[in-house]
Short mmCIF file of all heavy atoms in Angstrom, two decimals:
data_model
loop_
_atom_site.label_atom_id
_atom_site.label_comp_id
_atom_site.label_asym_id
_atom_site.label_seq_id
_atom_site.Cartn_x
_atom_site.Cartn_y
_atom_site.Cartn_z
N MET A 1 116.52 99.88 15.56
CA MET A 1 116.47 99.15 14.39
C MET A 1 114.98 98.90 14.00
O MET A 1 114.31 98.30 14.80
CB MET A 1 117.26 97.84 14.45
CG MET A 1 117.33 97.01 13.24
SD MET A 1 118.22 95.50 13.47
CE MET A 1 119.80 95.97 13.90
N MET A 2 114.58 99.35 12.78
CA MET A 2 113.21 99.19 12.45
C MET A 2 113.00 98.03 11.45
O MET A 2 113.94 97.77 10.63
CB MET A 2 112.71 100.53 11.83
CG MET A 2 112.72 101.79 12.66
SD MET A 2 111.59 101.62 14.12
CE MET A 2 110.06 101.67 13.21
N ASP A 3 111.86 97.29 11.58
CA ASP A 3 111.67 96.21 10.64
C ASP A 3 111.41 96.83 9.28
O ASP A 3 110.43 97.67 9.05
CB ASP A 3 110.43 95.45 11.20
CG ASP A 3 110.73 94.68 12.45
OD1 ASP A 3 112.01 94.58 12.71
OD2 ASP A 3 109.89 94.34 13.15
N ASN A 4 112.00 96.19 8.21
CA ASN A 4 111.68 96.69 6.81
C ASN A 4 110.38 95.95 6.39
O ASN A 4 109.47 96.71 5.83
CB ASN A 4 112.88 96.29 5.88
CG ASN A 4 114.07 97.04 6.24
OD1 ASN A 4 114.03 98.28 6.59
ND2 ASN A 4 115.33 96.46 6.07
N LYS A 5 110.23 94.71 6.62
CA LYS A 5 109.03 94.09 6.25
C LYS A 5 108.65 93.16 7.42
O LYS A 5 109.47 92.57 8.02
CB LYS A 5 109.35 93.27 5.00
CG LYS A 5 109.68 93.93 3.78
CD LYS A 5 109.96 93.04 2.63
CE LYS A 5 110.34 93.87 1.41
NZ LYS A 5 110.50 92.97 0.17
N PRO A 6 107.38 93.01 7.66
CA PRO A 6 106.90 92.27 8.81
C PRO A 6 107.21 90.81 8.63
O PRO A 6 107.26 90.01 9.58
CB PRO A 6 105.41 92.51 8.93
CG PRO A 6 105.04 92.97 7.59
CD PRO A 6 106.25 93.69 7.04
N GLU A 7 107.33 90.28 7.37
CA GLU A 7 107.60 88.84 7.15
C GLU A 7 109.05 88.52 7.11
O GLU A 7 109.36 87.25 6.93
CB GLU A 7 106.89 88.44 5.81
CG GLU A 7 107.61 89.05 4.48
CD GLU A 7 107.12 90.34 4.16
OE1 GLU A 7 106.42 91.07 4.97
OE2 GLU A 7 107.26 90.71 2.87
N GLU A 8 109.94 89.45 7.40
CA GLU A 8 111.35 89.10 7.41
C GLU A 8 112.09 89.50 8.59
O GLU A 8 111.48 90.47 9.28
CB GLU A 8 112.03 89.75 6.20
CG GLU A 8 112.24 91.26 6.16
CD GLU A 8 112.99 91.74 5.14
OE1 GLU A 8 113.06 91.11 3.99
OE2 GLU A 8 113.42 93.00 5.22
N CYS A 9 113.16 88.78 9.03
CA CYS A 9 113.89 89.15 10.23
C CYS A 9 114.64 90.45 10.00
O CYS A 9 115.30 90.67 8.87
CB CYS A 9 114.80 88.17 10.51
SG CYS A 9 115.87 88.43 11.97
N SER A 10 114.58 91.39 10.82
CA SER A 10 115.12 92.67 10.63
C SER A 10 116.72 92.66 10.93
O SER A 10 117.35 93.68 10.81
CB SER A 10 114.56 93.77 11.72
OG SER A 10 114.84 93.37 13.04
N VAL A 11 117.28 91.50 11.35
CA VAL A 11 118.68 91.42 11.59
C VAL A 11 119.37 90.81 10.28
O VAL A 11 120.25 91.37 9.76
CB VAL A 11 118.98 90.57 12.76
CG1 VAL A 11 120.61 90.37 12.85
CG2 VAL A 11 118.53 91.20 14.02
N CYS A 12 118.81 89.63 9.80
CA CYS A 12 119.51 88.93 8.69
C CYS A 12 118.77 89.35 7.41
O CYS A 12 119.23 88.99 6.28
CB CYS A 12 119.56 87.51 8.82
SG CYS A 12 118.01 86.61 9.18
N PHE A 13 117.45 89.85 7.46
CA PHE A 13 116.62 90.21 6.39
C PHE A 13 116.20 88.97 5.60
O PHE A 13 115.77 89.07 4.44
CB PHE A 13 117.31 91.17 5.40
CG PHE A 13 117.76 92.41 6.05
CD1 PHE A 13 119.03 92.75 6.33
CD2 PHE A 13 116.82 93.38 6.43
CE1 PHE A 13 119.44 93.88 6.97
CE2 PHE A 13 117.20 94.61 7.06
CZ PHE A 13 118.49 94.85 7.25
N ASN A 14 116.36 87.76 6.09
CA ASN A 14 115.71 86.57 5.61
C ASN A 14 114.16 86.50 5.90
O ASN A 14 113.82 86.83 6.97
CB ASN A 14 116.49 85.31 6.07
CG ASN A 14 117.76 85.25 5.46
OD1 ASN A 14 117.97 85.49 4.25
ND2 ASN A 14 118.70 84.80 6.31
N ASP A 15 113.40 85.94 5.02
CA ASP A 15 112.00 85.68 5.24
C ASP A 15 111.83 84.70 6.38
O ASP A 15 112.61 83.67 6.34
CB ASP A 15 111.33 85.38 4.01
CG ASP A 15 111.07 86.53 3.11
OD1 ASP A 15 111.35 87.66 3.39
OD2 ASP A 15 110.56 86.30 1.87
N TYR A 16 110.95 84.84 7.22
CA TYR A 16 110.72 83.75 8.26
C TYR A 16 110.24 82.56 7.57
O TYR A 16 109.49 82.64 6.61
CB TYR A 16 109.68 84.27 9.33
CG TYR A 16 110.12 85.51 10.11
CD1 TYR A 16 109.45 86.63 10.13
CD2 TYR A 16 111.14 85.32 10.93
CE1 TYR A 16 109.75 87.63 10.93
CE2 TYR A 16 111.56 86.39 11.73
CZ TYR A 16 110.92 87.53 11.79
OH TYR A 16 111.27 88.61 12.58
N ALA A 17 110.78 81.49 8.00
CA ALA A 17 110.46 80.17 7.56
C ALA A 17 110.58 79.04 8.46
O ALA A 17 110.66 79.37 9.67
CB ALA A 17 111.38 79.81 6.29
N GLU A 18 110.61 77.86 8.20
CA GLU A 18 110.74 76.74 9.08
C GLU A 18 112.04 76.59 9.73
O GLU A 18 113.03 77.19 9.33
CB GLU A 18 110.24 75.38 8.36
CG GLU A 18 111.07 75.02 7.38
CD GLU A 18 110.67 73.84 6.54
OE1 GLU A 18 109.46 73.42 6.83
OE2 GLU A 18 111.41 73.23 5.75
N ASN A 19 112.14 75.74 10.81
CA ASN A 19 113.32 75.29 11.39
C ASN A 19 114.09 76.69 12.09
O ASN A 19 113.63 77.33 12.83
CB ASN A 19 114.26 74.55 10.48
CG ASN A 19 113.63 73.28 10.16
OD1 ASN A 19 112.86 72.71 10.89
ND2 ASN A 19 113.88 72.84 8.93
N ARG A 20 115.28 76.93 11.42
CA ARG A 20 116.17 78.02 12.04
C ARG A 20 115.67 79.44 11.80
O ARG A 20 116.21 80.24 12.40
CB ARG A 20 117.57 77.84 11.41
CG ARG A 20 118.25 76.49 11.60
CD ARG A 20 118.61 76.38 13.10
NE ARG A 20 119.50 77.38 13.52
CZ ARG A 20 119.67 77.88 14.65
NH1 ARG A 20 118.84 77.55 15.65
NH2 ARG A 20 120.63 78.82 15.00
N LEU A 21 114.67 79.53 10.95
CA LEU A 21 114.24 80.97 10.59
C LEU A 21 112.76 81.13 11.23
O LEU A 21 112.10 82.16 10.82
CB LEU A 21 114.15 81.19 9.13
CG LEU A 21 115.50 81.18 8.44
CD1 LEU A 21 115.41 81.33 7.00
CD2 LEU A 21 116.58 82.26 9.06
N ARG A 22 112.35 80.40 12.14
CA ARG A 22 111.08 80.55 12.76
C ARG A 22 111.12 81.82 13.59
O ARG A 22 112.13 82.20 14.36
CB ARG A 22 110.73 79.46 13.69
CG ARG A 22 110.50 78.22 12.82
CD ARG A 22 109.59 77.15 13.66
NE ARG A 22 108.25 77.55 13.65
CZ ARG A 22 107.31 76.73 14.18
NH1 ARG A 22 107.64 75.70 14.84
NH2 ARG A 22 106.08 77.23 14.23
N PRO A 23 109.99 82.76 13.55
CA PRO A 23 110.09 83.92 14.36
C PRO A 23 109.75 83.74 15.78
O PRO A 23 108.88 82.92 16.17
CB PRO A 23 108.87 84.72 13.66
CG PRO A 23 107.93 83.65 13.20
CD PRO A 23 108.99 82.59 12.78
N ARG A 24 110.60 84.35 16.61
CA ARG A 24 110.45 84.14 18.11
C ARG A 24 110.42 85.56 18.81
O ARG A 24 111.15 86.44 18.38
CB ARG A 24 111.56 83.36 18.83
CG ARG A 24 111.44 81.86 18.17
CD ARG A 24 112.57 80.94 18.88
NE ARG A 24 112.53 79.51 18.39
CZ ARG A 24 111.67 78.65 18.81
NH1 ARG A 24 110.91 78.86 19.79
NH2 ARG A 24 111.73 77.39 18.25
N THR A 25 109.59 85.70 19.74
CA THR A 25 109.38 87.00 20.37
C THR A 25 110.21 87.13 21.77
O THR A 25 110.02 86.13 22.56
CB THR A 25 107.96 87.26 20.68
OG1 THR A 25 107.15 87.15 19.49
CG2 THR A 25 107.72 88.68 21.35
N LEU A 26 110.97 88.16 21.91
CA LEU A 26 111.66 88.19 23.12
C LEU A 26 110.74 88.85 24.24
O LEU A 26 109.72 89.48 23.94
CB LEU A 26 112.88 89.21 22.91
CG LEU A 26 113.89 88.83 21.88
CD1 LEU A 26 115.06 89.66 21.81
CD2 LEU A 26 114.37 87.34 22.06
N PRO A 27 111.06 88.80 25.58
CA PRO A 27 110.30 89.48 26.52
C PRO A 27 110.17 90.95 26.38
O PRO A 27 109.06 91.48 26.76
CB PRO A 27 111.08 89.16 27.84
CG PRO A 27 111.88 87.84 27.59
CD PRO A 27 112.15 87.99 26.14
N CYS A 28 110.95 91.66 25.67
CA CYS A 28 110.92 93.05 25.54
C CYS A 28 109.87 93.35 24.39
O CYS A 28 109.48 94.50 24.05
CB CYS A 28 112.25 93.76 25.16
SG CYS A 28 112.97 92.97 23.68
N GLY A 29 109.37 92.31 23.72
CA GLY A 29 108.25 92.40 22.52
C GLY A 29 108.76 92.40 21.15
O GLY A 29 107.98 92.36 20.22
N HIS A 30 110.10 92.46 21.00
CA HIS A 30 110.67 92.41 19.56
C HIS A 30 110.90 90.98 19.12
O HIS A 30 111.05 90.01 19.96
CB HIS A 30 111.96 93.17 19.47
CG HIS A 30 111.84 94.53 19.84
ND1 HIS A 30 112.23 95.19 21.04
CD2 HIS A 30 111.37 95.67 19.14
CE1 HIS A 30 111.98 96.46 21.02
NE2 HIS A 30 111.50 96.70 19.83
N THR A 31 110.71 90.76 17.77
CA THR A 31 110.76 89.48 17.10
C THR A 31 111.91 89.35 16.15
O THR A 31 112.11 90.35 15.30
CB THR A 31 109.35 89.12 16.38
OG1 THR A 31 108.32 89.24 17.37
CG2 THR A 31 109.44 87.93 15.76
N PHE A 32 112.63 88.14 16.23
CA PHE A 32 113.74 87.80 15.40
C PHE A 32 113.66 86.38 15.04
O PHE A 32 112.99 85.60 15.83
CB PHE A 32 114.98 88.31 16.06
CG PHE A 32 115.04 89.75 16.39
CD1 PHE A 32 114.84 89.96 17.75
CD2 PHE A 32 115.37 90.72 15.61
CE1 PHE A 32 114.91 91.34 18.26
CE2 PHE A 32 115.36 92.05 16.05
CZ PHE A 32 115.09 92.33 17.36
N CYS A 33 114.37 85.99 13.99
CA CYS A 33 114.46 84.54 13.66
C CYS A 33 115.28 83.87 14.65
O CYS A 33 116.20 84.45 15.33
CB CYS A 33 114.99 84.31 12.27
SG CYS A 33 116.75 84.69 12.06
N SER A 34 115.06 82.51 14.83
CA SER A 34 115.71 81.64 15.83
C SER A 34 117.21 81.78 15.60
O SER A 34 118.05 81.81 16.52
CB SER A 34 115.19 80.21 15.79
OG SER A 34 113.85 80.15 15.91
N GLN A 35 117.74 81.78 14.32
CA GLN A 35 119.14 81.70 14.07
C GLN A 35 119.81 82.96 14.55
O GLN A 35 120.90 82.88 15.15
CB GLN A 35 119.24 81.71 12.62
CG GLN A 35 120.77 81.60 12.08
CD GLN A 35 120.94 81.30 10.63
OE1 GLN A 35 120.93 80.13 10.20
NE2 GLN A 35 120.83 82.33 9.82
#
């Protein structure tokens, strides 16, 4: 799965934001929103 935009989560396609949409990095190096 490739990221469409660096500023959005590649799973839900929401822009990263505060609280539940903060970007977090997994040990494998990929980043997704908290939700």
